Amino acid sequence: MEQKVAVFRKEHFNAAHRLFHAAWSDEKNKQVFGACANPNYHGHNYELVVQVNGIPDPITGFVINTKTLSEIVDQEVKSKFDHKNLNLDTQEFKDLNPTAENIAIVIYNLIRPRISNHLDLKIRLYETERNFVDYPA
Amino acid sequence: MEQKVAVFRKEHFNAAHRLFHAAWSDEKNKQVFGACANPNYHGHNYELVVQVNGIPDPITGFVINTKTLSEIVDQEVKSKFDHKNLNLDTQEFKDLNPTAENIAIVIYNLIRPRISNHLDLKIRLYETERNFVDYPA
Amino acid sequence: MEQKVAVFRKEHFNAAHRLFHAAWSDEKNKQVFGACANPNYHGHNYELVVQVNGIPDPITGFVINTKTLSEIVDQEVKSKFDHKNLNLDTQEFKDLNPTAENIAIVIYNLIRPRISNHLDLKIRLYETERNFVDYPA
Amino acid sequence: MEQKVAVFRKEHFNAAHRLFHAAWSDEKNKQVFGACANPNYHGHNYELVVQVNGIPDPITGFVINTKTLSEIVDQEVKSKFDHKNLNLDTQEFKDLNPTAENIAIVIYNLIRPRISNHLDLKIRLYETERNFVDYPA
Amino acid sequence: MEQKVAVFRKEHFNAAHRLFHAAWSDEKNKQVFGACANPNYHGHNYELVVQVNGIPDPITGFVINTKTLSEIVDQEVKSKFDHKNLNLDTQEFKDLNPTAENIAIVIYNLIRPRISNHLDLKIRLYETERNFVDYPA
Amino acid sequence: MEQKVAVFRKEHFNAAHRLFHAAWSDEKNKQVFGACANPNYHGHNYELVVQVNGIPDPITGFVINTKTLSEIVDQEVKSKFDHKNLNLDTQEFKDLNPTAENIAIVIYNLIRPRISNHLDLKIRLYETERNFVDYPA
């Protein structure tokens, strides 16, 4: 039985965000989210790694062309989030706290429809070099 | 069904160590462990990545606050190992060879009690940029 | 004649910012600054490298203790800029465009009074991994 | 029950290659493989991470000595591919397109016989910092 | 007196090359250039850092817009060298050995006419992570 | 007039060390050197970058062959310091505090006699990713 290969494409985008829960007081938000609750926002250089698993095509040797994968990320993710304020400029985070966890889930859901059903998808998102997430785990 | 998100926090500590088996001759130790058996120790900048998997909290959007995770590493790992001689200054490696494999297992066991039962834990430890381990695999 | 040694300490901070010139139209700002002019801000993980040149102390072997250097950066830079909106939350960039060039000059001027006169100071600031500046050149 | 530890060793090699399908026209090859189809070849600094999973030996604390692992990579991979033209200088890619996917599978098959049966093997290959693959996924 | 700021922009390109001196025997070439003399070429992921020094514009805060700098590199360097065989596909290295030193000098000469006279230019070229050059020194 | 090119070669070594001044009390040493004064040593993965400046040879295109440079570092530096305790196992640091500053000066003096007089030499030493030095500055 053939085994799948995982193909990874790394992209990046820069964005501002703020972590807070609208129903909480400023004090409570600061207590839970610390400096990330700053009402005027802060920001990150997000590094995004998109992983697609499948059997390589016997002719091309590709699971998926990384150029295609890069274009999908441009269209579905970077056009929406790059050089944006995630809280103010996007539909996705109007009522959803833009934690790394939630951003990764949102990106997964944006890209999933663009990837063939027989391929698996996984997202890694670096908020900083020291804080990052995978979805699904 | 909701899928888990993996949250990663990267920390580092510097330590001296020596690889050897007390019951072996110097020659045998040098043969098996090479320069790592040097009786006067050598050392590393250890990079530690702690991974915690779970379902994000619907309010905060966090699986676990990386600030909390960082504090747990400070208290359970860095306070014990940072700027220390692993062979001489720690209980954990008094009779256990401080290979990357064993250090990762020890760190897992130190951190595991501090993480909620419904969350999974995994440790990655870089001894150098080119030699590293995961536990559990 | 003894030659100087350069000591470098790397720190980081996360901030939101926007590039624009208040006297220009939105169109003109977008033309010059591109996506960086987004009125709702975007952000970066800034990596800051502070360089201090001098003759090492004959007893300690230090030009400057990097712990001291790190504390100076905490007090003069990170307390002001980390997890902040550079345009809205700081005095320094109220009327100064927060380009990497200007942020590096501002940081130089904040740190310079804290470094002894016989030591040289230089700032490197990474806005992203691919865009960075040195001051003075 | 004991759990396995994964041990990773990172190596690198430099090689030229060209992506194309012999039965296709130049035009078709350029359309599918883009600049990678350039008839005169281009090249990469390949970063190779070999992962071996197993239970650490109770005496040595090693799953596998990374020095041994490095020697296996030297003998089975670097001696064949380092500073070579993958299309012209190797048996393996005479009739197989040297995509990252296929190179990873070939490397897996070269190393697998050298690793004990009770140990698992996995290959990560970076073609560039932004394009990489795992095999098996 | 105002001091200059250095602005850096990092780009990359992939290329095949071979080091050899046409007037020498294969043996002599192998002796001097080692595996780099392989007649069928090998290749690298070249990382290019272009540095421009000058006084920031008082309105924009830019020494040079890094977007402009990136476009100059695209037009003068990447269009010529990316995914190419430096020995076979370029005018510049037809009779010039494509060492990192010579590639850096060639890139400097390609970019210099595109940069204003009052600005200084410097090139850093990484052939690998461990071998790199600056021009001028 | 021809301008010099700088050639860089990156190497690494692992070592244990301790910072202290023999004439001082433990308390005083701890106050000045912090955790680095730990009597049982700690350690680092040192990254060493050796820079040599000169005019490239018109035939080879080399300022210096990086293979030669690597061999010099092996013979003069790594054979002495790699997998060693700098305080106990070396002549150089018997009475000299092994700060990054002093290690860089010592390495410069070890390598300088091996480099032709018409070439300039400069040393960069990373003690950690965040603490590093240049000599001469």
Side-chain angles (χ1 to χ4, degrees):
Chain A
M1 196 199 70
E2 275 185 301
Q3 282 189 288
K4 289 183 177 179
V5 179
V7 172
F8 300 83
R9 172 70 189 174
K10 190 178 173 190
E11 301 281 346
H12 63 269
F13 60 93
N14 308 317
H17 80 151
R18 180 201 174 192
L19 300 186
F20 76 111
H21 183 53
W24 287 349
S25 68
D26 283 2
E27 236 167 64
K28 170 83 175 172
N29 274 312
K30 202 171 173 183
Q31 184 195 317
V32 173
F33 297 111
C36 297
N38 176 25
N40 284 330
Y41 312 98
H42 64 287
H44 296 292
N45 304 329
Y46 290 95
E47 296 281 346
L48 170 64
V49 181
V50 178
Q51 174 185 352
V52 174
N53 298 1
I55 304 293
D57 179 276
I59 301 287
T60 63
F62 283 152
V63 168
I64 187 172
N65 193 325
T66 52
K67 197 170 178 321
T68 308
L69 198 48
S70 178
E71 287 164 0
I72 292 171
V73 173
D74 268 2
Q75 293 161 14
E76 304 299 333
V77 181
K78 294 177 74 170
S79 69
K80 285 196 168 82
F81 300 159
D82 191 26
H83 282 79
K84 293 290 165 57
N85 183 310
L86 297 180
N87 303 79
L88 299 182
D89 294 330
T90 75
Q91 283 301 322
E92 286 80 2
F93 299 105
K94 213 144 233 166
D95 302 308
L96 181 68
N97 211 16
T99 57
E101 289 91 326
N102 281 337
I103 302 174
I105 295 172
V106 161
I107 289 174
Y108 178 93
N109 290 331
L110 288 169
I111 293 179
R112 183 64 263 189
R114 298 291 304 275
I115 305 292
S116 305
N117 279 337
H118 65 287
L119 300 172
D120 309 316
L121 175 67
K122 189 168 178 170
I123 300 298
R124 171 166 286 193
L125 184 76
Y126 291 84
E127 191 175 82
T128 69
E129 197 198 350
R130 303 178 72 180
N131 290 334
F132 51 105
V133 298
D134 278 355
Y135 180 77
Chain B
M1 197 199 73
E2 273 185 303
Q3 282 188 288
K4 288 183 177 178
V5 179
V7 171
F8 300 83
R9 174 68 190 173
K10 191 179 173 189
E11 301 281 347
H12 62 271
F13 59 93
N14 308 316
H17 80 152
R18 177 199 177 196
L19 299 186
F20 75 113
H21 183 53
W24 288 349
S25 67
D26 282 1
E27 235 167 64
K28 170 80 175 174
N29 274 312
K30 200 171 174 181
Q31 184 194 318
V32 173
F33 297 110
C36 297
N38 177 25
N40 284 330
Y41 312 97
H42 64 286
H44 295 292
N45 304 330
Y46 290 95
E47 296 281 346
L48 170 63
V49 182
V50 177
Q51 174 186 351
V52 174
N53 299 0
I55 304 293
D57 179 274
I59 302 287
T60 62
F62 283 153
V63 169
I64 187 171
N65 193 326
T66 52
K67 197 169 179 321
T68 308
L69 198 47
S70 178
E71 287 164 359
I72 292 171
V73 173
D74 267 2
Q75 292 161 15
E76 304 299 333
V77 181
K78 294 178 74 169
S79 68
K80 285 196 167 82
F81 300 159
D82 191 26
H83 282 79
K84 294 288 166 58
N85 183 311
L86 298 180
N87 303 80
L88 299 182
D89 294 330
T90 75
Q91 283 302 323
E92 286 80 2
F93 300 103
K94 211 144 238 167
D95 303 307
L96 182 67
N97 213 14
T99 57
E101 289 92 327
N102 281 338
I103 302 174
I105 294 172
V106 162
I107 289 175
Y108 178 93
N109 291 331
L110 287 170
I111 294 179
R112 183 64 263 189
R114 299 290 304 275
I115 305 291
S116 306
N117 279 339
H118 65 286
L119 300 172
D120 309 316
L121 176 66
K122 189 170 180 170
I123 301 298
R124 170 165 286 192
L125 184 75
Y126 291 84
E127 191 175 83
T128 68
E129 196 197 352
R130 303 179 71 180
N131 292 335
F132 51 105
V133 299
D134 278 354
Y135 179 77
Chain C
M1 196 199 70
E2 274 186 301
Q3 282 188 286
K4 289 183 178 179
V5 179
V7 171
F8 300 83
R9 173 69 190 174
K10 190 178 173 190
E11 301 281 347
H12 61 271
F13 60 93
N14 308 317
H17 80 151
R18 180 200 174 193
L19 300 185
F20 75 112
H21 182 54
W24 287 349
S25 67
D26 283 1
E27 236 167 64
K28 170 81 175 174
N29 275 310
K30 200 170 173 182
Q31 184 194 316
V32 173
F33 297 109
C36 297
N38 177 24
N40 284 331
Y41 313 98
H42 64 287
H44 296 292
N45 303 330
Y46 289 96
E47 296 281 346
L48 169 64
V49 182
V50 178
Q51 174 185 350
V52 174
N53 299 0
I55 304 292
D57 180 275
I59 302 286
T60 62
F62 283 153
V63 168
I64 186 171
N65 193 326
T66 51
K67 197 169 179 322
T68 308
L69 198 48
S70 178
E71 288 164 359
I72 293 171
V73 172
D74 267 2
Q75 293 160 15
E76 305 299 334
V77 180
K78 291 177 77 170
S79 69
K80 284 195 169 83
F81 300 159
D82 191 25
H83 281 79
K84 294 289 167 58
N85 183 311
L86 297 180
N87 304 80
L88 300 182
D89 294 330
T90 76
Q91 282 301 321
E92 287 80 0
F93 299 104
K94 213 145 233 165
D95 303 306
L96 183 67
N97 211 16
T99 58
E101 290 92 325
N102 281 339
I103 301 174
I105 294 172
V106 162
I107 289 175
Y108 178 93
N109 289 332
L110 287 170
I111 294 179
R112 182 65 263 189
R114 299 289 304 275
I115 305 290
S116 305
N117 279 338
H118 64 287
L119 300 172
D120 310 315
L121 176 66
K122 188 169 178 170
I123 300 299
R124 170 165 286 193
L125 184 75
Y126 291 84
E127 191 176 82
T128 69
E129 196 198 351
R130 304 179 70 178
N131 292 333
F132 51 104
V133 299
D134 278 355
Y135 179 77
Chain D
M1 197 197 72
E2 273 184 303
Q3 283 189 287
K4 290 184 175 177
V5 179
V7 171
F8 300 82
R9 173 70 189 174
K10 190 178 172 188
E11 302 281 346
H12 61 271
F13 60 93
N14 309 317
H17 80 152
R18 178 200 176 196
L19 299 185
F20 75 112
H21 183 53
W24 287 349
S25 67
D26 283 2
E27 234 167 64
K28 171 81 176 175
N29 274 311
K30 201 170 172 181
Q31 184 194 316
V32 173
F33 297 110
C36 297
N38 176 25
N40 285 330
Y41 312 98
H42 64 287
H44 296 292
N45 303 330
Y46 290 96
E47 296 282 345
L48 170 64
V49 182
V50 178
Q51 174 185 350
V52 174
N53 298 0
I55 304 293
D57 179 275
I59 301 289
T60 62
F62 283 152
V63 168
I64 187 171
N65 193 326
T66 52
K67 198 170 178 320
T68 308
L69 198 48
S70 178
E71 287 164 0
I72 292 171
V73 172
D74 267 2
Q75 293 161 15
E76 303 299 333
V77 180
K78 293 178 73 170
S79 68
K80 285 196 168 83
F81 300 158
D82 191 26
H83 282 79
K84 294 291 167 55
N85 183 311
L86 297 180
N87 304 79
L88 300 181
D89 294 331
T90 75
Q91 283 301 322
E92 286 79 2
F93 300 104
K94 211 142 236 167
D95 303 306
L96 182 68
N97 212 15
T99 57
E101 288 92 326
N102 281 337
I103 302 173
I105 294 172
V106 162
I107 289 175
Y108 178 93
N109 290 331
L110 288 169
I111 293 179
R112 182 65 263 190
R114 299 288 306 275
I115 305 292
S116 306
N117 279 337
H118 65 287
L119 299 173
D120 310 314
L121 176 65
K122 188 168 178 171
I123 301 298
R124 171 165 286 192
L125 185 75
Y126 291 85
E127 191 175 84
T128 69
E129 195 198 352
R130 303 178 70 179
N131 291 334
F132 52 105
V133 299
D134 278 355
Y135 179 78
Chain E
M1 196 198 71
E2 274 184 302
Q3 282 188 287
K4 288 183 178 180
V5 179
V7 172
F8 300 82
R9 173 70 190 172
K10 190 177 174 191
E11 301 281 346
H12 61 271
F13 60 94
N14 308 316
H17 80 151
R18 179 199 176 194
L19 300 185
F20 75 111
H21 183 53
W24 287 350
S25 68
D26 282 2
E27 234 167 66
K28 170 80 176 173
N29 274 313
K30 199 170 173 182
Q31 184 195 314
V32 173
F33 297 110
C36 296
N38 176 25
N40 284 330
Y41 312 98
H42 64 286
H44 295 292
N45 303 329
Y46 289 97
E47 296 281 346
L48 170 64
V49 182
V50 177
Q51 174 186 351
V52 174
N53 298 359
I55 303 293
D57 179 275
I59 301 288
T60 63
F62 283 153
V63 169
I64 186 171
N65 193 326
T66 51
K67 196 170 179 324
T68 308
L69 198 47
S70 178
E71 287 164 359
I72 292 171
V73 172
D74 266 3
Q75 293 161 15
E76 304 299 334
V77 180
K78 292 178 75 169
S79 69
K80 284 196 169 83
F81 300 159
D82 190 25
H83 282 79
K84 294 290 167 56
N85 184 310
L86 297 179
N87 303 79
L88 299 182
D89 294 331
T90 75
Q91 282 302 320
E92 285 80 1
F93 298 104
K94 212 144 234 164
D95 303 307
L96 182 67
N97 212 14
T99 57
E101 290 92 327
N102 282 338
I103 302 174
I105 295 172
V106 162
I107 289 174
Y108 178 93
N109 291 331
L110 287 169
I111 293 178
R112 182 65 263 188
R114 299 290 304 275
I115 305 291
S116 306
N117 279 338
H118 65 286
L119 300 173
D120 310 315
L121 176 65
K122 188 169 180 169
I123 300 298
R124 170 164 286 193
L125 184 75
Y126 290 85
E127 191 176 82
T128 69
E129 196 198 352
R130 303 178 69 179
N131 291 335
F132 52 104
V133 298
D134 277 354
Y135 179 77
Chain F
M1 197 198 70
E2 273 185 302
Q3 282 189 287
K4 289 183 177 178
V5 179
V7 171
F8 300 82
R9 174 69 190 175
K10 189 178 173 189
E11 302 281 347
H12 61 271
F13 60 94
N14 309 317
H17 81 150
R18 179 200 175 194
L19 300 185
F20 75 112
H21 183 53
W24 287 350
S25 67
D26 283 1
E27 233 167 65
K28 171 82 175 174
N29 275 311
K30 200 170 173 184
Q31 184 194 318
V32 173
F33 297 110
C36 297
N38 176 25
N40 284 331
Y41 313 98
H42 64 287
H44 296 291
N45 303 330
Y46 289 96
E47 297 281 345
L48 170 63
V49 181
V50 178
Q51 174 185 352
V52 174
N53 298 0
I55 304 292
D57 179 274
I59 301 288
T60 63
F62 283 153
V63 168
I64 186 171
N65 193 326
T66 52
K67 197 170 178 323
T68 308
L69 198 48
S70 178
E71 287 164 1
I72 293 172
V73 173
D74 267 1
Q75 293 160 17
E76 304 299 334
V77 181
K78 292 177 75 170
S79 69
K80 286 197 168 82
F81 300 158
D82 190 25
H83 282 80
K84 295 288 168 57
N85 183 310
L86 298 179
N87 302 80
L88 298 182
D89 295 330
T90 77
Q91 283 300 322
E92 287 79 1
F93 299 104
K94 213 144 235 165
D95 303 308
L96 182 67
N97 212 15
T99 57
E101 289 92 328
N102 281 338
I103 302 173
I105 294 171
V106 162
I107 289 175
Y108 178 93
N109 290 331
L110 288 169
I111 294 179
R112 181 66 262 188
R114 299 290 304 276
I115 305 291
S116 306
N117 279 338
H118 65 286
L119 299 173
D120 310 315
L121 176 65
K122 187 169 180 170
I123 301 298
R124 171 166 287 194
L125 184 75
Y126 291 84
E127 192 176 81
T128 68
E129 196 197 352
R130 303 178 72 178
N131 291 336
F132 52 105
V133 299
D134 278 354
Y135 178 78

